[in-house]
Amino acid sequence: MKDKIIIPFDVQTRDEFDYLLKELSGTATFAKVGMELFYRFGPNIIEDLKQHNFKIFLDLKLHDIPNTVHHACKVLGEMEVDILNVHSSGGSEMMQAAREGFKLSHKNGLLIGVTQLTSTTQKIMNSELNISGSVEDSVLSLANMTKESGLDGVVCSAKEVQTIKTALGKDFKCITPGIRPLNYQKDDQKRIMTPTEAIQAGSDYLVIGRPITKADSPKEAYLKILKDISHE
Ligand code: C5P
């Protein structure tokens, strides 16, 4: 169960990073490195986390021409990250190129597609991006293309997991942010589920940030969530 909880190290300073690392090392097992952390501290940050036995989800959401993404995925694969992601909206040729690049350097990592960002509303999607229909329809269609391109799964809302698994099979991975324990504030997340609900819905990995990282004791908050989902 421990590997199902991925903690985003969304911090701005080295001191904050070191504090979280110290709190969670030896307890939690999976860290998410996003753009802010990677661009500020570079690839060494991945080594620092690995030395504390963390698995790594490198959340860089690549989106460029197929050749560029191919080479970028190969370089990132050499860092032996456990999960890497690209934007599904880059299209199937880009995703196939990403997959080939990633698998050239890293046989065991998971390559995941980002469908619609949770910040994209139906209004933005219809009137600014010129994509018709509902967000859910677009997520399912992008997930379908992601699977056909040979990727291992998608990042999606826990509310979409059942539909995606029913359509694309239970082995197609669903990584879900927007997780909030009962009685915890929503922050800026809109479509939330509790950790237990997300596990029941079939989510493979829960990305849980502020409820853990901003708690008085991140370690205690993590262990409480782990206990809750372990009863499932
Ligand atoms: O603090 P919180 O639990 O909201 O953190 C969620 C993490 O998941 C953040 O790092 C955020 O960038 C990321 N994420 C998200 N929604 C997506 C994709 C990634 O919240 N659709």
mmCIF file with all atom_site columns, all heavy atoms in Angstrom, residues 60-72:
data_model
loop_
_atom_site.group_PDB
_atom_site.id
_atom_site.type_symbol
_atom_site.label_atom_id
_atom_site.label_alt_id
_atom_site.label_comp_id
_atom_site.label_asym_id
_atom_site.label_entity_id
_atom_site.label_seq_id
_atom_site.pdbx_PDB_ins_code
_atom_site.Cartn_x
_atom_site.Cartn_y
_atom_site.Cartn_z
_atom_site.occupancy
_atom_site.B_iso_or_equiv
_atom_site.pdbx_formal_charge
_atom_site.auth_seq_id
_atom_site.auth_comp_id
_atom_site.auth_asym_id
_atom_site.auth_atom_id
_atom_site.pdbx_PDB_model_num
ATOM 1   N N   . LEU A 1 60 ? 7.021  16.162 -15.473 1.00 0.00 ? 60 LEU A N   1
ATOM 2   C CA  . LEU A 1 60 ? 7.442  17.303 -16.304 1.00 0.00 ? 60 LEU A CA  1
ATOM 3   C C   . LEU A 1 60 ? 6.478  17.579 -17.457 1.00 0.00 ? 60 LEU A C   1
ATOM 4   O O   . LEU A 1 60 ? 6.636  18.557 -18.164 1.00 0.00 ? 60 LEU A O   1
ATOM 5   C CB  . LEU A 1 60 ? 8.866  17.069 -16.850 1.00 0.00 ? 60 LEU A CB  1
ATOM 6   C CG  . LEU A 1 60 ? 9.974  17.011 -15.799 1.00 0.00 ? 60 LEU A CG  1
ATOM 7   C CD1 . LEU A 1 60 ? 11.336 16.883 -16.472 1.00 0.00 ? 60 LEU A CD1 1
ATOM 8   C CD2 . LEU A 1 60 ? 9.960  18.232 -14.893 1.00 0.00 ? 60 LEU A CD2 1
ATOM 9   N N   . LYS A 1 61 ? 5.516  16.701 -17.670 1.00 0.00 ? 61 LYS A N   1
ATOM 10  C CA  . LYS A 1 61 ? 4.447  16.922 -18.676 1.00 0.00 ? 61 LYS A CA  1
ATOM 11  C C   . LYS A 1 61 ? 5.010  17.408 -20.015 1.00 0.00 ? 61 LYS A C   1
ATOM 12  O O   . LYS A 1 61 ? 4.697  18.502 -20.495 1.00 0.00 ? 61 LYS A O   1
ATOM 13  C CB  . LYS A 1 61 ? 3.418  17.924 -18.162 1.00 0.00 ? 61 LYS A CB  1
ATOM 14  C CG  . LYS A 1 61 ? 2.727  17.513 -16.863 1.00 0.00 ? 61 LYS A CG  1
ATOM 15  C CD  . LYS A 1 61 ? 1.613  18.489 -16.533 1.00 0.00 ? 61 LYS A CD  1
ATOM 16  C CE  . LYS A 1 61 ? 0.886  18.142 -15.253 1.00 0.00 ? 61 LYS A CE  1
ATOM 17  N NZ  . LYS A 1 61 ? 1.638  18.393 -14.030 1.00 0.00 ? 61 LYS A NZ  1
ATOM 18  N N   . LEU A 1 62 ? 5.830  16.571 -20.632 1.00 0.00 ? 62 LEU A N   1
ATOM 19  C CA  . LEU A 1 62 ? 6.476  16.974 -21.886 1.00 0.00 ? 62 LEU A CA  1
ATOM 20  C C   . LEU A 1 62 ? 5.456  17.129 -23.020 1.00 0.00 ? 62 LEU A C   1
ATOM 21  O O   . LEU A 1 62 ? 4.488  16.364 -23.113 1.00 0.00 ? 62 LEU A O   1
ATOM 22  C CB  . LEU A 1 62 ? 7.525  15.935 -22.294 1.00 0.00 ? 62 LEU A CB  1
ATOM 23  C CG  . LEU A 1 62 ? 8.604  15.611 -21.271 1.00 0.00 ? 62 LEU A CG  1
ATOM 24  C CD1 . LEU A 1 62 ? 9.629  14.666 -21.886 1.00 0.00 ? 62 LEU A CD1 1
ATOM 25  C CD2 . LEU A 1 62 ? 9.287  16.841 -20.752 1.00 0.00 ? 62 LEU A CD2 1
ATOM 26  N N   . HIS A 1 63 ? 5.711  18.115 -23.894 1.00 0.00 ? 63 HIS A N   1
ATOM 27  C CA  . HIS A 1 63 ? 4.810  18.370 -25.037 1.00 0.00 ? 63 HIS A CA  1
ATOM 28  C C   . HIS A 1 63 ? 5.607  19.154 -26.075 1.00 0.00 ? 63 HIS A C   1
ATOM 29  O O   . HIS A 1 63 ? 5.855  20.347 -25.909 1.00 0.00 ? 63 HIS A O   1
ATOM 30  C CB  . HIS A 1 63 ? 3.598  19.191 -24.552 1.00 0.00 ? 63 HIS A CB  1
ATOM 31  C CG  . HIS A 1 63 ? 2.520  19.333 -25.565 1.00 0.00 ? 63 HIS A CG  1
ATOM 32  N ND1 . HIS A 1 63 ? 1.263  19.799 -25.259 1.00 0.00 ? 63 HIS A ND1 1
ATOM 33  C CD2 . HIS A 1 63 ? 2.485  19.062 -26.888 1.00 0.00 ? 63 HIS A CD2 1
ATOM 34  C CE1 . HIS A 1 63 ? 0.514  19.816 -26.342 1.00 0.00 ? 63 HIS A CE1 1
ATOM 35  N NE2 . HIS A 1 63 ? 1.243  19.383 -27.355 1.00 0.00 ? 63 HIS A NE2 1
ATOM 36  N N   . ASP A 1 64 ? 6.025  18.472 -27.149 1.00 0.00 ? 64 ASP A N   1
ATOM 37  C CA  . ASP A 1 64 ? 6.824  19.139 -28.180 1.00 0.00 ? 64 ASP A CA  1
ATOM 38  C C   . ASP A 1 64 ? 6.753  18.274 -29.435 1.00 0.00 ? 64 ASP A C   1
ATOM 39  O O   . ASP A 1 64 ? 5.970  17.310 -29.484 1.00 0.00 ? 64 ASP A O   1
ATOM 40  C CB  . ASP A 1 64 ? 8.277  19.314 -27.687 1.00 0.00 ? 64 ASP A CB  1
ATOM 41  C CG  . ASP A 1 64 ? 8.962  20.530 -28.310 1.00 0.00 ? 64 ASP A CG  1
ATOM 42  O OD1 . ASP A 1 64 ? 8.790  20.761 -29.523 1.00 0.00 ? 64 ASP A OD1 1
ATOM 43  O OD2 . ASP A 1 64 ? 9.683  21.246 -27.593 1.00 0.00 ? 64 ASP A OD2 1
ATOM 44  N N   . ILE A 1 65 ? 7.560  18.565 -30.446 1.00 0.00 ? 65 ILE A N   1
ATOM 45  C CA  . ILE A 1 65 ? 7.524  17.728 -31.648 1.00 0.00 ? 65 ILE A CA  1
ATOM 46  C C   . ILE A 1 65 ? 8.065  16.333 -31.296 1.00 0.00 ? 65 ILE A C   1
ATOM 47  O O   . ILE A 1 65 ? 8.864  16.182 -30.355 1.00 0.00 ? 65 ILE A O   1
ATOM 48  C CB  . ILE A 1 65 ? 8.319  18.353 -32.818 1.00 0.00 ? 65 ILE A CB  1
ATOM 49  C CG1 . ILE A 1 65 ? 9.783  18.553 -32.445 1.00 0.00 ? 65 ILE A CG1 1
ATOM 50  C CG2 . ILE A 1 65 ? 7.676  19.655 -33.271 1.00 0.00 ? 65 ILE A CG2 1
ATOM 51  C CD1 . ILE A 1 65 ? 10.672 18.954 -33.627 1.00 0.00 ? 65 ILE A CD1 1
ATOM 52  N N   . PRO A 1 66 ? 7.624  15.298 -32.034 1.00 0.00 ? 66 PRO A N   1
ATOM 53  C CA  . PRO A 1 66 ? 7.993  13.923 -31.658 1.00 0.00 ? 66 PRO A CA  1
ATOM 54  C C   . PRO A 1 66 ? 9.495  13.705 -31.470 1.00 0.00 ? 66 PRO A C   1
ATOM 55  O O   . PRO A 1 66 ? 9.922  13.083 -30.493 1.00 0.00 ? 66 PRO A O   1
ATOM 56  C CB  . PRO A 1 66 ? 7.453  13.088 -32.834 1.00 0.00 ? 66 PRO A CB  1
ATOM 57  C CG  . PRO A 1 66 ? 6.270  13.878 -33.323 1.00 0.00 ? 66 PRO A CG  1
ATOM 58  C CD  . PRO A 1 66 ? 6.655  15.326 -33.151 1.00 0.00 ? 66 PRO A CD  1
ATOM 59  N N   . ASN A 1 67 ? 10.319 14.246 -32.357 1.00 0.00 ? 67 ASN A N   1
ATOM 60  C CA  . ASN A 1 67 ? 11.759 14.015 -32.259 1.00 0.00 ? 67 ASN A CA  1
ATOM 61  C C   . ASN A 1 67 ? 12.338 14.578 -30.963 1.00 0.00 ? 67 ASN A C   1
ATOM 62  O O   . ASN A 1 67 ? 13.134 13.922 -30.274 1.00 0.00 ? 67 ASN A O   1
ATOM 63  C CB  . ASN A 1 67 ? 12.445 14.658 -33.484 1.00 0.00 ? 67 ASN A CB  1
ATOM 64  C CG  . ASN A 1 67 ? 13.931 14.392 -33.498 1.00 0.00 ? 67 ASN A CG  1
ATOM 65  O OD1 . ASN A 1 67 ? 14.368 13.242 -33.441 1.00 0.00 ? 67 ASN A OD1 1
ATOM 66  N ND2 . ASN A 1 67 ? 14.719 15.464 -33.540 1.00 0.00 ? 67 ASN A ND2 1
ATOM 67  N N   . THR A 1 68 ? 11.892 15.767 -30.603 1.00 0.00 ? 68 THR A N   1
ATOM 68  C CA  . THR A 1 68 ? 12.399 16.400 -29.376 1.00 0.00 ? 68 THR A CA  1
ATOM 69  C C   . THR A 1 68 ? 11.957 15.613 -28.145 1.00 0.00 ? 68 THR A C   1
ATOM 70  O O   . THR A 1 68 ? 12.739 15.367 -27.229 1.00 0.00 ? 68 THR A O   1
ATOM 71  C CB  . THR A 1 68 ? 11.881 17.862 -29.296 1.00 0.00 ? 68 THR A CB  1
ATOM 72  O OG1 . THR A 1 68 ? 12.325 18.542 -30.469 1.00 0.00 ? 68 THR A OG1 1
ATOM 73  C CG2 . THR A 1 68 ? 12.387 18.575 -28.071 1.00 0.00 ? 68 THR A CG2 1
ATOM 74  N N   . VAL A 1 69 ? 10.704 15.207 -28.139 1.00 0.00 ? 69 VAL A N   1
ATOM 75  C CA  . VAL A 1 69 ? 10.194 14.463 -26.979 1.00 0.00 ? 69 VAL A CA  1
ATOM 76  C C   . VAL A 1 69 ? 10.875 13.094 -26.873 1.00 0.00 ? 69 VAL A C   1
ATOM 77  O O   . VAL A 1 69 ? 11.187 12.619 -25.784 1.00 0.00 ? 69 VAL A O   1
ATOM 78  C CB  . VAL A 1 69 ? 8.648  14.340 -27.065 1.00 0.00 ? 69 VAL A CB  1
ATOM 79  C CG1 . VAL A 1 69 ? 8.105  13.416 -25.996 1.00 0.00 ? 69 VAL A CG1 1
ATOM 80  C CG2 . VAL A 1 69 ? 8.019  15.721 -26.921 1.00 0.00 ? 69 VAL A CG2 1
ATOM 81  N N   . HIS A 1 70 ? 11.144 12.484 -28.034 1.00 0.00 ? 70 HIS A N   1
ATOM 82  C CA  . HIS A 1 70 ? 11.847 11.196 -28.052 1.00 0.00 ? 70 HIS A CA  1
ATOM 83  C C   . HIS A 1 70 ? 13.185 11.320 -27.309 1.00 0.00 ? 70 HIS A C   1
ATOM 84  O O   . HIS A 1 70 ? 13.487 10.529 -26.408 1.00 0.00 ? 70 HIS A O   1
ATOM 85  C CB  . HIS A 1 70 ? 12.083 10.776 -29.506 1.00 0.00 ? 70 HIS A CB  1
ATOM 86  C CG  . HIS A 1 70 ? 12.921 9.552  -29.668 1.00 0.00 ? 70 HIS A CG  1
ATOM 87  N ND1 . HIS A 1 70 ? 12.383 8.289  -29.743 1.00 0.00 ? 70 HIS A ND1 1
ATOM 88  C CD2 . HIS A 1 70 ? 14.257 9.378  -29.759 1.00 0.00 ? 70 HIS A CD2 1
ATOM 89  C CE1 . HIS A 1 70 ? 13.347 7.407  -29.867 1.00 0.00 ? 70 HIS A CE1 1
ATOM 90  N NE2 . HIS A 1 70 ? 14.497 8.043  -29.895 1.00 0.00 ? 70 HIS A NE2 1
ATOM 91  N N   . HIS A 1 71 ? 13.975 12.336 -27.684 1.00 0.00 ? 71 HIS A N   1
ATOM 92  C CA  . HIS A 1 71 ? 15.306 12.472 -27.071 1.00 0.00 ? 71 HIS A CA  1
ATOM 93  C C   . HIS A 1 71 ? 15.211 12.886 -25.603 1.00 0.00 ? 71 HIS A C   1
ATOM 94  O O   . HIS A 1 71 ? 15.994 12.421 -24.772 1.00 0.00 ? 71 HIS A O   1
ATOM 95  C CB  . HIS A 1 71 ? 16.163 13.442 -27.883 1.00 0.00 ? 71 HIS A CB  1
ATOM 96  C CG  . HIS A 1 71 ? 16.540 12.865 -29.217 1.00 0.00 ? 71 HIS A CG  1
ATOM 97  N ND1 . HIS A 1 71 ? 17.402 11.788 -29.345 1.00 0.00 ? 71 HIS A ND1 1
ATOM 98  C CD2 . HIS A 1 71 ? 16.141 13.153 -30.478 1.00 0.00 ? 71 HIS A CD2 1
ATOM 99  C CE1 . HIS A 1 71 ? 17.525 11.460 -30.628 1.00 0.00 ? 71 HIS A CE1 1
ATOM 100 N NE2 . HIS A 1 71 ? 16.765 12.267 -31.339 1.00 0.00 ? 71 HIS A NE2 1
ATOM 101 N N   . ALA A 1 72 ? 14.238 13.749 -25.304 1.00 0.00 ? 72 ALA A N   1
ATOM 102 C CA  . ALA A 1 72 ? 14.064 14.161 -23.904 1.00 0.00 ? 72 ALA A CA  1
ATOM 103 C C   . ALA A 1 72 ? 13.700 12.953 -23.040 1.00 0.00 ? 72 ALA A C   1
ATOM 104 O O   . ALA A 1 72 ? 14.239 12.773 -21.940 1.00 0.00 ? 72 ALA A O   1
ATOM 105 C CB  . ALA A 1 72 ? 12.975 15.224 -23.806 1.00 0.00 ? 72 ALA A CB  1
#
